[in-house]
Amino acid sequence: RQSVLAAAFRGDLTADWRAQNPDVEWQKTTLNEVIKEKPRNGYSPKAVDYSTQVKSFSLSATTSGEFKAEHFKYIADDIPNDSYLWLKPGDILIQRSNTLDYVGTSAIYTGDFNEFIYPDLIMKVQVREDLTQPKYIHYLLSSKQTRDYFKVNATGTAGNMPKINQKVVMNTPVLLPSIKEQSEIVNCISKVFETAYSIENYFQQTEHDLTTLDQSILARAFRGQLVPQDPNDEPASFLLERIRAEREKTQKKKGKGKKGKGKR
């Protein structure tokens, strides 16, 4: 996936497209220039153990790079309908604090309007549709080059939860092709990622099947089902009984030997 992203932002994936669309140059800018307003932190009140009207997702909901709605908690606070905390489809969520390998991880919110609010360890940004699109920026933020930028600029790297601040996020370098080429790049990346996802699923299923098969073979082996059985063979219980009897016999002999030495 990182190889694909690197190729995408070198322009390799759309080289043929640019050949058919000459005089199209990429602009070097920053994230601040392509978002509607400054990134804002979320809100993390105490969770409650009963259902409420307000759901706040946890950090793990975006750690994979995709929004996973099952990771959330209920909160009892009353959040106004017009609060900036409510999420809208297409919002980009950036982890401002996590371990060094995950700080800066982004995901696109794919839930319903005003279904979730976001926590304090997350920043939210909304892109300007006249300049770019959420998926393009998300892929850019997920690239190794941008992730390295976040790592270098994170504070508190000696601890468990390094942080990036608003200024660092706003100054994130952005390579900006035309809207049409951005769409081409997004389509190319999405297709390859879909293939990678299918391969990954196939591998995981195959691995599970092999583990199940191993256990099945072992179970059959110890039931004597892997080779033809001789009906004249004695049951295993007879063999175990003979082993027990031989063991008792051996122990009795040892006991007699010790007594004999005592008499001398």
Side-chain angles (χ1 to χ4, degrees), residues 150-161:
F150 288 144
K151 287 181 181 180
V152 169
N153 288 278
T155 59
T157 53
N160 292 325
M161 294 287 278

Side-chain angles (χ1 to χ4, degrees), residues 127-146:
V127 303
R128 290 178 49 186
E129 290 85 355
D130 59 320
L131 295 176
T132 187
Q133 52 181 293
K135 272 196 172 183
Y136 177 82
I137 295 300
H138 165 59
Y139 285 143
L140 181 74
L141 294 175
S142 302
S143 67
K144 184 178 185 302
Q145 185 175 359
T146 304

Side-chain angles (χ1 to χ4, degrees), residues 37 40-43 54 78-88 91 114 116-118 124 126:
E37 57 185 10
R40 302 182 71 172
N41 298 350
Y43 173 55
V54 183
D78 183 22
I79 307 296
N81 290 332
D82 59 351
S83 171
Y84 76 92
L85 291 169
W86 290 111
L87 293 170
K88 299 176 177 59
D91 287 351
N114 290 21
F116 289 91
I117 66 168
Y118 64 104
K124 179 185 74 173
Q126 297 174 324

Side-chain angles (χ1 to χ4, degrees), residues 6-264:
F9 296 110
R10 285 196 307 264
D12 294 352
L13 296 187
T14 48
D16 292 341
W17 183 90
R18 281 198 310 281
Q20 299 174 4
N21 297 268
D23 302 324
V24 178
E25 296 183 358
W26 289 24
Q27 178 186 354
K28 291 184 179 181
T29 184
T30 63
L31 187 64
N32 183 52
E33 300 301 318
V34 298
I35 57 179
K36 295 179 179 179
E37 57 185 10
K38 293 180 179 180
R40 302 182 71 172
N41 298 350
Y43 173 55
S44 295
K46 186 177 180 179
V48 295
D49 58 0
Y50 53 89
S51 298
T52 68
Q53 296 298 313
V54 183
K55 294 188 290 185
S56 176
F57 67 83
S58 62
L59 201 63
S60 56
T62 61
T63 302
S64 67
E66 296 180 1
F67 180 73
K68 296 186 176 181
E70 63 268 25
H71 301 288
F72 73 91
K73 60 185 181 182
Y74 288 107
I75 63 172
D77 296 46
D78 183 22
I79 307 296
N81 290 332
D82 59 351
S83 171
Y84 76 92
L85 291 169
W86 290 111
L87 293 170
K88 299 176 177 59
D91 287 351
I92 298 177
L93 307 165
I94 302 172
Q95 295 192 1
R96 70 179 187 87
S97 181
N98 204 326
T99 61
L100 195 58
D101 286 335
Y102 289 100
V103 65
T105 297
S106 74
I108 297 177
Y109 176 69
T110 54
D112 292 333
F113 284 89
N114 290 21
E115 182 183 7
F116 289 91
I117 66 168
Y118 64 104
D120 179 60
L121 295 180
I122 295 281
M123 288 185 188
K124 179 185 74 173
V125 297
Q126 297 174 324
V127 303
R128 290 178 49 186
E129 290 85 355
D130 59 320
L131 295 176
T132 187
Q133 52 181 293
K135 272 196 172 183
Y136 177 82
I137 295 300
H138 165 59
Y139 285 143
L140 181 74
L141 294 175
S142 302
S143 67
K144 184 178 185 302
Q145 185 175 359
T146 304
R147 297 305 303 278
D148 287 345
Y149 163 79
F150 288 144
K151 287 181 181 180
V152 169
N153 288 278
T155 59
T157 53
N160 292 325
M161 294 287 278
K163 294 178 174 60
I164 52 175
N165 57 32
Q166 184 187 72
K167 183 178 179 181
V168 169
V169 172
M170 291 171 63
N171 288 332
T172 302
V174 171
L175 289 171
L176 201 66
S178 66
I179 289 288
K180 287 185 178 180
E181 188 170 1
Q182 287 181 47
S183 295
E184 289 293 321
I185 290 172
V186 167
N187 288 337
C188 289
I189 294 174
S190 297
K191 287 179 181 178
V192 178
F193 277 20
E194 285 175 8
T195 302
Y197 181 74
S198 297
I199 293 172
E200 192 173 44
N201 278 348
Y202 177 76
F203 169 77
Q204 291 175 350
Q205 183 60 50
T206 302
E207 189 176 40
H208 175 267
D209 291 345
L210 286 173
T211 301
T212 304
L213 180 61
D214 287 345
Q215 294 300 321
S216 175
I217 290 173
L218 289 173
R220 293 183 64 192
F222 288 105
R223 288 198 301 267
Q225 295 177 344
L226 292 186
V227 294
Q229 300 299 302
D230 187 343
N232 296 318
D233 286 344
E234 64 180 9
S237 59
F238 286 13
L239 175 61
L240 292 173
E241 181 60 29
R242 286 208 315 274
I243 293 173
R244 185 186 66 77
E246 288 293 331
R247 184 178 296 163
E248 290 179 353
K249 185 178 179 181
T250 301
Q251 289 175 346
K252 287 179 180 179
K253 286 182 178 180
K254 288 181 178 180
K256 289 181 180 180
K258 289 180 180 180
K259 289 180 179 179
K261 289 180 180 179
K263 289 179 180 181
R264 288 198 299 268

